[in-house]
Amino acid sequence: MRWRQRMTTARLCQAISRITRSRHLTTTEEAIVRHDQDDELTEQFRYHSGRPMQPVHLERLMISARTPCPRSSVQFLREQIPTRLCHALTDLSLLPDLFRSTSSFKGLNRWYLDSFRDVSQFDGGTVDEAERFAVLANDILDRHRDVVPTLSEGLREMEKKCGENKMFVLRDSIQKHTDRFLLNRISMRFLLSQHCALVGDSRHGDGEIQRCNVFNIIQEAALTAKTLTRTYLAESPKVNIEVSSLSGNEINVPCVPSHIYVMMFEIIKNACRATVEHCRQQTDLPEISVKIEEEEDYVTVMVKDRGGGMEKSVFERLFHYNFSTANLEVPCHGVSDIVPLAGCGFGLKLSRLCARYWGGNLVVATDEGHGTSVAVSLKRCAGTEVLPPSLDLK
């Protein structure tokens, strides 16, 4: 049985790769159908790749968390997860040829195809289907745990092969399809984690959507960022957190707590590192200012440092994948149990995508020679998840 699954996966890989090789093919499904019309799994791929991703209204998920209906969750995920996996595979296949020749691409392709096969072949309709699907969801979350570092390694390998001039030409395509791929990944992880939380089996999940106390999460993220900075650089600046609430009460937003934590940890960590590196000769390090402001529709978190800011040439590349302002050459995974202080070149980009997924944004401003400000906005009321727009492959 396993050799047949491997053969099916190999055939799907070949079919997907034909999307970018043939200018006569207009959609992913045409490439699949022409490759093998009789294969059931290939037909399912054709079906899902032609369907749009259906955004979820996040308020409904919050209600379902209070009155859970796991079987309805399974029905939705059995339809949407294969569709989102197909769109992710399409974006991978539309990255440059040099990336698709890397071992990283082959690994990513295999993980996503294996997950597509597992969800497509899930046998529902039983009393325990919600629990069994949670086991499957945890397996997928675990399988995909190294997607980001693997993607980063593949892009680095590609950059070494093609050089600066060709990378400049390919940059827009890389940014577009990597953004789409990673935003899609955030959405899938969230939906799978939400289902796991509903049935109480969150071994590999990120947690569930809830009303999050923004101050408490930022306070925890700041403490961790300061500790990590001291571990690498022997000292860290103070972080002063201020709150401005319209009602005078605590400020809450609908989100997954770990998502806010990761965004704020990344931003404060960068501010701490820049401050120490720029102001090391000073007697007292200037403190980092964090202001949480509640507005009518959004909550905005502004993080300001006096870490020297960035040159224009650096600032222009700030959201390019694998670009880092750090001087550290830090492996992204697999070498140490210690969290790296910097160097992977994905943290700020992922934070911006995460903010956008929740209907907000992340904006950076810099004053060379002085400091940098980062503003993160999040919606006060739950809206609809933000997904990549449909691709026009014509």
Side-chain angles (χ1 to χ4, degrees), residues 8 18 21 53 57 62 87 109 118 136 145 149 152 159 176 215 219 222 230 287 339 351 380 389:
T8 301
R18 292 172 66 182
R21 291 206 304 267
M53 292 183 283
H57 197 289
M62 293 184 68
H87 282 261
N109 221 37
D118 291 347
L136 172 58
R145 68 185 182 278
S152 174
E159 192 166 357
K176 173 185 174 181
F215 175 83
Q219 192 174 44
R230 280 195 295 270
E287 72 176 22
V339 177
S351 296
R380 288 185 61 196

Side-chain angles (χ1 to χ4, degrees), residues 47-213:
Y47 167 76
H48 285 287
S49 63
R51 291 176 61 81
M53 292 183 283
Q54 181 183 338
V56 178
H57 197 289
L58 300 169
E59 184 66 35
R60 292 176 186 171
L61 289 183
M62 293 184 68
I63 294 171
S64 69
R66 295 193 294 269
T67 56
C69 184
R71 295 193 70 177
S72 296
S73 172
V74 173
Q75 292 171 7
F76 176 79
L77 294 178
R78 287 184 68 188
E79 182 67 29
Q80 269 300 295
I81 294 301
T83 297
R84 298 189 188 201
L85 288 166
C86 286
H87 282 261
L89 283 161
T90 299
D91 279 302
L92 277 180
S93 74
L94 290 169
L95 285 167
D97 291 346
L98 282 171
F99 176 78
R100 298 204 309 273
S101 67
T102 65
S103 59
S104 296
F105 168 76
K106 294 178 177 65
L108 290 168
N109 221 37
R110 185 176 63 253
W111 293 339
Y112 275 74
L113 285 168
D114 285 347
S115 297
F116 175 78
R117 183 196 64 230
D118 291 347
V119 179
S120 298
Q121 295 179 346
F122 179 80
D123 184 18
T126 61
V127 175
D128 63 341
E129 68 172 355
E131 290 75 15
R132 289 191 298 107
F133 195 89
V135 173
L136 172 58
N138 273 298
D139 288 344
I140 293 173
L141 291 168
D142 186 43
R143 177 185 293 146
H144 292 206
R145 68 185 182 278
D146 283 335
V147 161
V148 171
T150 302
L151 178 62
S152 174
E153 288 174 5
L155 292 175
R156 286 183 192 279
E157 186 179 340
M158 179 189 68
E159 192 166 357
K160 288 177 182 177
K161 288 179 180 178
C162 67
E164 271 190 41
N165 291 337
K166 193 166 184 179
M167 278 298 292
F168 179 80
V169 174
L170 297 172
R171 180 65 65 189
D172 287 347
S173 175
I174 293 169
Q175 292 294 121
K176 173 185 174 181
H177 293 293
T178 305
D179 273 352
R180 289 174 52 85
F181 176 80
L182 290 173
L183 183 58
N184 193 349
R185 179 179 185 266
I186 290 170
S187 78
M188 283 191 286
R189 283 196 63 88
F190 166 62
L191 292 180
L192 291 170
S193 298
Q194 183 74 14
H195 177 77
C196 291
L198 282 179
V199 299
D201 182 10
S202 298
R203 284 168 290 156
H204 300 292
D206 297 333
E208 63 184 318
I209 185 172
Q210 56 190 268
R211 300 296 300 182
C212 300
N213 185 309

Side-chain angles (χ1 to χ4, degrees), residues 141-391:
L141 291 168
D142 186 43
R143 177 185 293 146
H144 292 206
R145 68 185 182 278
D146 283 335
V147 161
V148 171
T150 302
L151 178 62
S152 174
E153 288 174 5
L155 292 175
R156 286 183 192 279
E157 186 179 340
M158 179 189 68
E159 192 166 357
K160 288 177 182 177
K161 288 179 180 178
C162 67
E164 271 190 41
N165 291 337
K166 193 166 184 179
M167 278 298 292
F168 179 80
V169 174
L170 297 172
R171 180 65 65 189
D172 287 347
S173 175
I174 293 169
Q175 292 294 121
K176 173 185 174 181
H177 293 293
T178 305
D179 273 352
R180 289 174 52 85
F181 176 80
L182 290 173
L183 183 58
N184 193 349
R185 179 179 185 266
I186 290 170
S187 78
M188 283 191 286
R189 283 196 63 88
F190 166 62
L191 292 180
L192 291 170
S193 298
Q194 183 74 14
H195 177 77
C196 291
L198 282 179
V199 299
D201 182 10
S202 298
R203 284 168 290 156
H204 300 292
D206 297 333
E208 63 184 318
I209 185 172
Q210 56 190 268
R211 300 296 300 182
C212 300
N213 185 309
V214 179
F215 175 83
N216 288 347
I217 296 173
I218 293 178
Q219 192 174 44
E220 184 181 354
L223 179 60
T224 308
K226 289 172 59 180
T227 301
L228 186 66
T229 305
R230 280 195 295 270
T231 299
Y232 279 91
L233 301 178
E235 57 181 335
S236 68
K238 294 179 180 179
V239 178
N240 181 44
I241 306 174
E242 299 179 9
V243 180
S244 176
S245 171
L246 292 175
S247 63
N249 300 322
E250 64 182 34
I251 298 176
N252 296 306
V253 295
C255 196
V256 174
S258 63
H259 287 200
I260 298 176
Y261 175 88
V262 168
M263 285 188 284
M264 299 315 305
F265 168 74
E266 177 66 27
I267 295 164
I268 296 172
K269 170 177 68 71
N270 289 346
C272 286
R273 177 181 59 79
T275 300
V276 173
E277 290 179 349
H278 181 69
C279 306
R280 195 182 286 276
Q281 304 303 319
Q282 298 183 18
T283 305
D284 296 313
L285 294 173
E287 72 176 22
I288 293 167
S289 166
V290 180
K291 292 185 178 180
I292 307 168
E293 187 170 355
E294 188 178 37
E295 300 167 0
E296 186 175 349
D297 297 317
Y298 290 89
V299 170
T300 301
V301 181
M302 177 71 76
V303 180
K304 293 184 178 181
D305 67 59
R306 285 179 279 172
M310 290 172 270
E311 298 176 0
K312 182 180 178 181
S313 60
V314 172
F315 184 70
E316 288 174 345
R317 293 189 290 164
L318 192 61
F319 287 100
H320 290 179
Y321 286 100
N322 276 354
F323 175 76
S324 174
T325 58
N327 297 320
L328 305 170
E329 191 65 37
V330 182
C332 289
H333 73 127
V335 176
S336 172
D337 292 333
I338 300 175
V339 177
L341 180 63
C344 294
F346 263 64
L348 196 63
K349 297 80 174 171
L350 280 170
S351 296
R352 184 171 70 170
L353 287 174
C354 192
R356 288 177 174 177
Y357 174 76
W358 293 99
N361 204 1
L362 185 154
V363 179
V364 182
T366 191
D367 184 4
E368 185 180 349
H370 296 280
T372 298
S373 301
V374 182
V376 178
S377 59
L378 294 169
K379 280 191 171 182
R380 288 185 61 196
C381 298
T384 301
E385 60 173 344
V386 176
L387 299 174
S390 297
L391 276 171

